[in-house]
Structures are given as C-alpha cells and as structure tokens.
Amino acid sequence: MKTPVICTTLLIEKSPQSLPLGAACIASSLNSSKLTKDLCQASLKAFCIEDEEYKKHAQTEDTAARYLAEKLKAPIVCFSVFVWNKIILEKTAELLQKQGTICIAGGPEITANPGAAKGFDYLVCGEGEVSLPSLISDLLTDKRPQRKIIPASSIKNLEELSSPYLDNTLDPLQYGGALWELARGCPFKCSYCYESKGEKIVRHFNMQRIEAELDLFAKKKIPQVFVLDPTYNANKERAIKLLNLIAKKTPDTFYYFEARAEFIDNELARAFSKIPCALQIGLQSANEEVLKLVNRPFNKKNFIKKINILNQAGLTFGFDLIYGLPGESFASFKEGINFALSLYPNNLEIFCLSVLPGTDLHERAAELGLQYQEMPPYNVTKTSKFSPEDLKNAGKLAAACNVFYNDGRAVPWFNIICRQLKLQSWVFLNRFYNDFLSKEKRLEEYSDCKDACNREDNNNSERLSKVIEEWQLAFVLMLAKEKGLSRFNNIFTDLIRYYGALSRSTESGKRQKISLNYPAEYLESEYIFDLEFFLKNVKIRKNSIEI
C-alpha cells in the first residue's frame, strides 16, 4: 500500500497568477519519479486566505494553523513556503509534528534562509523535483537521512520533469486560468531579486511539452494564462515561434507576459499584436543612478523609444515601480511616477521594496543604508534618502494610482486632463488621496467593492467601476472649479463617462448606454489632445449612445 503524501501551500488569493504551481510540481514529481512512484501517492491540497471557510476559522495565526493542521492528515506533508505564509505554515508544522507527521518545507523562503525556518523536520532548498523524491524514498525505506537541510541543486535537463497540468495534478479551471512555466532562471542579476545570486543561466522547457500544454489549454478553453518567464522576449526567435503557436492553438485566450523593454522591436511587437495579450515591464525606477546600484542597466532614451513601438502597435502594457530603492529619494521617486505615466501604460503597479533574504540586496543592506523589517514581508522601513514619513507618503501615492488610474482605467484621458489642469501626475494623485480618497470612508468602500470583485462577481466588478467613475468625475470637476477651468466640465465629463463605459463593455461583453455632450467620434479623435482647440471648434450636441 502506498503512503499518502500531501503537498500543500497557503495562497494569498485564488487566481491564475497565484495558483499552487510549486506544490503541484512537487506532487507531480513524486508520482512520476522512479524513486517514489511505487512507494507513495502524492496529492495537492492548497488553501487560500480569501476562502470563506478559511477566514471563518483563521481569526489569528494560531487558529489558522489549527485549522490547517486539521485538514492535513497524512504521514508526510510537504509545504511550499513563501513570504506571506511562512509564519502560519511554521505553526501548522509544529502542530502536525506532535501528531507524528513528518513535515518537509521548500520554496523561496526556505531556499533564501533555511536557518531561520522553524517547525519542520527537513528543509529542501532550490528546485525540489529531484531532491525531494530522493529524501522521501529514504524516509519510506527506513534509510535515515543524514542532513536536515538538503542543499540546492539545479536541474540541468528540464525534459525529465513531469507537467502537473498534463498529469491532472493541477486543474487550471479551478483558478480561472493558468500560470504557465516556460523557463527557469534569468540572465540578469537585479539585486532585489532571488535570481541575483543564481547562475545567470536560462533553461527552457522543450517545445513538445509546451505544445501539449497549449493543446490542454485549448481543450479546457482556459480564459487567461500568466506566463512564467521573466525575460520572455530575450530570445527573439523562440519568442516569436511561441507567439505564432499560441495564435494558432489558443487564439481566444488572453496572455500576460513579463518583458524587457530593451529587447522590444517592431517584429516582436507585430507578433505580440496577433494574440490577445498584455506585457508587464519592470521599470522599477526612472533614475539611472539608482538602477545602477541594484545592477539593473537603464537607458531612458532607449526605454522611451521601445515603449513608443508598443504604443504604435496598439499593445497593452504596464509598468512596475518600486519605492525605497537604495539611492532613491522621495523627489526622484515622484519624478518616476511622472515619467511612467507620461508613456501611457495600461497600469502602473507601485510596490514598497522588500529586502528579501537570499538576495544580493540583503547582503549589502547595511552598505547601502537600508533598514528593513526582520520578519516577512521584509519591507524597507528607512533608507539614507527615504524617511519613514516618505515611505508612508509613497504608499499613499501607490494607493491613489491603483484606485484612480489602474482600477479607474484612466489611461486614455489621464494625461490629457492633468495637462489641462497644469498638474504633474504625482501631484494629481497626491491631491486625490489626501483631498478625496481618504475622506468619507471611501477607502473602506473601495476595499469592500474590491473584495467582492475578487470573489469573481461580475456585478460587483461593474459596481466598482461605476463607483470609481463617480469619484473620478467629482474630483476632476472639483479641481476644475478650483483652477477656474469649469468651462471644460462637459469635455471632462464625456471623457470619463465614455471611456468608463467602453472599458466595462469590453470587460463584461454587455452593452452600456450613456449620455454625452459631444459626438463620440470626436472624443476618440486627435482633437482631444488639445482641449482649448476642442472647446472652440467642436459644438455641443447632446446625444445618447449604446456601446
């Protein structure tokens, strides 16, 4: 009789980009390895902090651990440990050990700092698909493992790994989409990333496996796929070959890619434009000297040139921006917001720097003047140029950008209105947070609506969009009045209403009826980039349209 083994993790949300791929890969490897396939039966059991049952039982870390321990009855439990679940999983393992369960942990947090892990019998560093079957084989054949910490070992040939999708260990439909691993490793050494101390080697999964997984996604009609390859477009020939394959096999699936701006060219942009997709680009900072300190080369002029290629191709793309980087001041961070938004990204994700154990930045923190939390999530608390108050204010700008620009889908008109109001992007967002968002319990209302949206209720998604649209309109008209620019109110109103309805219709597929002051075709014309000209030359013609 085979010994049951549970592979588990605690997810921060139930979505394609955070599905339990690591734990699933381990379960798949245990069931396929010649060392363990006849000795054990591995199963995947993932939990999510957003699940109603979990929230009902997890009032504290201790009660959460007791809840998980009750659900994890098996002789051996393997934990996939991340920043957000480390403490709870440690407490869970301690409870299970008292019942005689052997607890094994792996994942980024274990690999980065195994000496800091508590409550586990064994720790597996690095990629576990080979070393874990070897460990469990020893445990099940009464061979006493010599070490508690299994050192990291790199898997040279990814072809020997089984696919958790193809062997049904993991069903992407349960998570609304797939997290698709195309490669491992990174050729770059950005100091804040786990890869900063890696081998600088990229290993690709073979095309036979990739095609089989694409066929599965097509068969299951997977709606969206998040591609796990931090430099997807570094190998241009392979990138284009895969894009053509995606267009052929899954033309209706939406793909999210991580991309490096310096590798963008017209041929790649055309290939991306043939499929429904979005690119996320790690800008991180617009300060070249700051990026040098974290081993990330950056040429601002070239970056603008490459992003213009994406805009000309009509591609959807977003940026990441980090506050608290070494050498970055609050003033230069704010300039980074101005620079990023001037390039019309579809979204701007703004994060606080995490000084992750196991990274080059962690080793050089004192030298670089970084102070940070000793426990997860390891956020920076002070730098030589960023005070705690600066960090707090940067967090407010991040929240304002997320609500007004990202969730508010303001990209088509944000720069137009800021320019007319003569406000820099960061100033506009700062005013929105301090003078509007933080008042009258709007943050609480936003949080409630967002939680409802995360439960995949389309009605709530539309509700959130309409709530933010009313806030956008009220705030913009308030600024217009303050600056003596109320003559533009009809144009401001139409821009916000029209593009809000357009985004809701695009997302839901439902018709949207709206009333406008101007014909819709003028709102999409080049006239809109000069609102003084628009006001003088386009006559008001009230109308109702259906989008």
Side-chain angles (χ1 to χ4, degrees):
M1 183 176 177
K2 295 182 181 181
T3 301
V5 176
I6 294 178
C7 298
T8 189
T9 193
L10 177 61
L11 307 172
I12 199 165
E13 64 180 12
K14 194 168 186 178
S15 65
Q17 62 266 47
S18 67
L19 57 72
L21 183 60
C25 286
I26 294 302
S28 179
S29 70
L30 290 173
N31 289 331
S32 63
S33 170
K34 62 182 180 181
L35 294 174
T36 51
K37 64 181 181 180
D38 296 325
L39 294 174
C40 71
Q41 180 62 52
S43 61
L44 174 67
K45 197 172 185 110
F47 302 88
C48 177
I49 62 174
E50 290 183 346
D51 287 345
E52 290 302 319
E53 186 181 359
Y54 177 85
K55 288 193 289 188
K56 183 171 70 175
H57 293 89
Q59 302 303 315
T60 66
E61 290 174 351
D62 288 334
T63 57
R66 286 198 294 271
Y67 169 72
L68 294 180
E70 282 295 317
K71 300 290 183 179
L72 296 171
K73 302 292 186 183
I76 300 175
V77 176
C78 302
F79 296 86
S80 186
V81 183
F82 295 85
V83 167
W84 59 83
N85 64 24
K86 179 175 183 283
I87 295 173
I88 291 175
L89 294 187
E90 285 177 338
K91 290 177 178 289
T92 302
E94 288 174 350
L95 293 173
L96 288 172
Q97 282 179 321
K98 294 176 182 178
Q99 303 170 15
T101 298
I102 297 174
C103 296
I104 304 171
E109 277 294 293
I110 302 302
T111 300
N113 192 9
K118 303 173 184 176
F120 303 108
D121 297 290
Y122 299 97
L123 305 169
V124 177
C125 300
E127 297 170 310
E129 288 103 331
V130 173
S131 52
L132 191 61
S134 178
L135 170 63
I136 289 181
S137 173
D138 286 348
L139 291 170
L140 295 180
T141 55
D142 295 326
K143 295 178 184 176
R144 188 176 181 85
Q146 297 298 309
R147 295 172 292 191
K148 176 181 178 180
I149 300 176
I150 312 300
S153 60
S154 180
I155 299 169
K156 303 299 182 186
N157 184 9
L158 297 183
E159 290 185 19
E160 63 191 58
L161 301 183
S162 57
S163 166
Y165 291 121
L166 297 178
D167 65 13
N168 296 315
T169 300
L170 184 60
D171 182 1
L173 282 179
Q174 291 184 6
Y175 298 89
L179 190 60
W180 194 27
E181 193 177 23
L182 299 182
R184 290 185 182 179
C186 179
F188 302 98
K189 287 202 170 185
C190 305
S191 297
Y192 47 79
C193 176
Y194 284 122
E195 294 289 349
S196 61
K197 300 184 73 62
E199 298 177 339
K200 238 183 172 182
I201 296 172
V202 178
R203 294 158 294 146
H204 294 103
F205 285 94
N206 64 64
M207 293 301 294
Q208 183 179 357
R209 167 173 164 153
I210 286 170
E211 285 201 48
E213 288 177 331
L214 268 177
D215 288 336
L216 178 72
F217 297 161
K219 181 180 178 181
K220 286 180 171 285
K221 298 182 179 179
I222 300 299
Q224 53 185 330
V225 173
F226 287 77
V227 176
L228 262 183
D229 184 344
T231 54
Y232 173 80
N233 60 326
N235 184 326
K236 178 179 171 180
E237 183 181 349
R238 179 180 170 87
I240 291 177
K241 182 178 180 180
L242 276 172
L243 289 171
N244 291 335
L245 197 61
I246 288 168
K248 177 183 176 183
K249 290 182 176 289
T250 56
D252 299 321
T253 299
F254 198 96
Y255 285 80
Y256 297 86
F257 296 91
E258 294 178 79
R260 296 281 296 208
E262 59 264 44
F263 299 131
I264 295 293
D265 64 14
N266 287 307
E267 186 180 5
L268 262 172
R270 283 194 297 271
F272 277 118
S273 70
K274 292 177 181 177
I275 67 169
C277 71
L279 311 183
Q280 196 68 18
I281 296 167
L283 173 60
Q284 318 309 10
S285 171
N287 187 317
E288 293 182 26
E289 295 305 312
V290 167
L291 291 173
K292 280 182 184 177
L293 289 175
V294 292
N295 299 326
R296 192 175 178 92
F298 178 68
N299 181 305
K300 185 177 283 190
K301 288 184 179 178
N302 187 55
F303 187 88
I304 294 170
K305 176 184 175 182
K306 300 298 187 178
I307 298 306
N308 283 339
I309 291 175
L310 297 181
N311 275 321
Q312 288 164 9
L315 286 166
T316 298
F317 63 90
F319 297 142
D320 295 331
L321 206 61
I322 300 174
Y323 59 91
L325 286 168
E328 183 95 89
S329 67
F330 189 38
S332 67
F333 166 70
K334 292 184 291 190
E335 284 303 313
I337 293 178
N338 290 341
F339 173 74
L341 292 178
S342 73
L343 298 175
Y344 293 86
N346 186 65
N347 61 287
L348 177 60
E349 307 296 339
I350 304 176
F351 307 96
C352 180
L353 175 66
S354 290
V355 184
L356 299 170
T359 64
D360 176 65
L361 196 66
H362 188 268
E363 289 188 2
R364 298 167 54 217
E367 168 197 337
L368 295 169
L370 300 178
Q371 297 179 30
Y372 57 92
Q373 299 167 339
E374 293 296 327
M375 300 294 287
Y378 310 112
N379 284 346
V380 68
T381 56
K382 184 182 179 182
T383 79
S384 58
K385 293 188 176 182
F386 234 104
S387 69
E389 187 65 21
D390 289 338
L391 290 168
K392 182 179 179 182
N393 289 328
K396 292 178 180 178
L397 286 172
C401 183
N402 193 46
V403 176
F404 194 99
Y405 190 87
N406 296 346
D407 286 342
R409 300 172 175 90
V411 58
W413 49 263
F414 181 81
N415 287 321
I416 295 169
I417 289 180
C418 282
R419 187 163 55 243
Q420 196 62 49
L421 294 172
K422 294 183 171 58
L423 289 174
Q424 296 179 67
S425 298
W426 82 264
V427 176
F428 182 98
L429 293 173
N430 192 55
R431 287 287 308 272
F432 176 67
Y433 186 93
N434 290 324
D435 298 349
F436 196 86
L437 187 60
S438 62
K439 311 293 184 183
E440 299 179 15
K441 297 186 176 181
R442 291 190 180 98
L443 280 168
E444 292 90 334
E445 183 179 357
Y446 169 77
S447 180
D448 290 343
C449 285
K450 192 74 173 175
D451 286 345
C453 289
N454 288 337
R455 293 194 293 271
E456 300 179 8
D457 186 327
N458 289 331
N459 291 328
N460 282 315
S461 178
E462 185 164 332
R463 179 191 163 211
L464 176 63
S465 173
K466 289 182 176 179
V467 165
I468 294 176
E469 182 180 302
E470 294 306 318
W471 292 352
Q472 290 170 329
L473 188 57
F475 178 67
V476 168
L477 296 186
M478 180 189 83
L479 290 180
K481 181 179 180 181
E482 176 186 301
K483 290 180 168 288
L485 296 171
S486 294
R487 64 185 183 278
F488 293 101
N489 281 2
N490 286 331
I491 306 175
F492 292 158
T493 300
D494 275 11
L495 283 172
I496 294 171
R497 295 279 193 225
Y498 177 71
Y499 283 103
L502 185 61
S503 68
R504 286 191 295 275
S505 178
T506 301
E507 181 180 24
S508 68
K510 297 178 182 177
R511 295 175 182 270
Q512 298 281 324
K513 293 182 180 180
I514 56 169
S515 296
L516 298 171
N517 298 293
Y518 296 96
E521 58 264 28
Y522 289 110
L523 300 174
E524 292 186 334
S525 73
E526 61 185 18
Y527 300 145
I528 208 66
F529 291 97
D530 185 343
L531 294 190
E532 290 285 1
F533 178 89
F534 189 100
L535 191 64
K536 291 176 183 177
N537 293 280
V538 180
K539 294 182 180 180
I540 287 180
R541 195 170 78 209
K542 292 185 180 294
N543 62 100
S544 295
I545 64 169
E546 192 175 70
I547 297 178

